[in-house]
Amino acid sequence: MEKKASCKNPLCPLTQALSVIGGKWKPVIIYQLNRSKKRFGQLHLSVVGISRKVLTSQLNELVRDGLVNRTSYAETPPRVEYELTEKGKALIPVFGSIAEWGTYLVEDYKKSLTKTI
């Protein structure tokens, strides 16, 4: 069995960036938090398909990496809110560019559907 090549170089900017924002859910979570700060339940409802366990894990990683702030309020019942840090907000233009590029993929997909009909 052939091993996949991977870049583990900690000095590689792309490796560092993808280690922080890579994966299925982190870009979606960041996008949702760009709109406004959210409580856990609100975020869970807005990120369709994510389990509570995975959302908790991803949020903890985003907080650890300094992209998201977690604010806990000493209330009954307890309240926790999540919002983007300045470091997290810096990703929004990057994701905007990726989304713009994604429109080309959507158009290609639509064209492939019309060819099969």
Side-chain angles (χ1 to χ4, degrees), residues 78-116:
R79 177 171 56 113
V80 176
E81 290 181 338
Y82 296 92
E83 64 184 323
L84 290 180
T85 63
E86 289 305 312
K87 187 176 177 182
K89 289 176 184 175
L91 287 167
I92 300 308
V94 175
F95 288 161
S97 295
I98 292 170
E100 188 176 316
W101 179 71
T103 60
Y104 294 112
L105 300 176
V106 170
E107 291 304 316
D108 285 348
Y109 175 74
K110 288 179 183 177
K111 288 176 187 172
S112 72
L113 290 177
T114 58
K115 290 178 183 176
T116 59

Side-chain angles (χ1 to χ4, degrees), residues 27-38 43 46-47:
V28 179
I29 293 167
I30 291 167
Y31 174 76
Q32 289 299 323
L33 289 175
N34 180 50
R35 295 176 169 201
S36 66
K37 63 178 144 184
K38 292 192 179 342
L43 201 49
S46 64
V47 181

Side-chain angles (χ1 to χ4, degrees), residues 3-116:
K3 276 190 152 184
K4 289 184 180 179
S6 64
C7 179
K8 302 273 186 192
N9 181 353
L11 299 177
C12 173
L14 186 58
T15 298
Q16 286 299 310
L18 291 177
S19 73
V20 174
I21 62 166
K24 179 177 180 178
W25 298 111
K26 287 181 183 177
V28 179
I29 293 167
I30 291 167
Y31 174 76
Q32 289 299 323
L33 289 175
N34 180 50
R35 295 176 169 201
S36 66
K37 63 178 144 184
K38 292 192 179 342
R39 294 174 69 170
F40 183 87
Q42 294 170 313
L43 201 49
H44 185 249
L45 290 173
S46 64
V47 181
V48 178
I50 194 170
S51 72
R52 295 177 75 80
K53 180 180 177 181
V54 171
L55 179 58
T56 299
S57 171
Q58 297 290 279
L59 283 168
N60 287 337
E61 290 177 21
L62 289 167
V63 169
R64 179 197 68 208
D65 292 331
L67 299 178
V68 171
N69 277 330
R70 179 185 188 272
T71 306
S72 182
Y73 298 91
E75 300 174 349
T76 305
R79 177 171 56 113
V80 176
E81 290 181 338
Y82 296 92
E83 64 184 323
L84 290 180
T85 63
E86 289 305 312
K87 187 176 177 182
K89 289 176 184 175
L91 287 167
I92 300 308
V94 175
F95 288 161
S97 295
I98 292 170
E100 188 176 316
W101 179 71
T103 60
Y104 294 112
L105 300 176
V106 170
E107 291 304 316
D108 285 348
Y109 175 74
K110 288 179 183 177
K111 288 176 187 172
S112 72
L113 290 177
T114 58
K115 290 178 183 176
T116 59

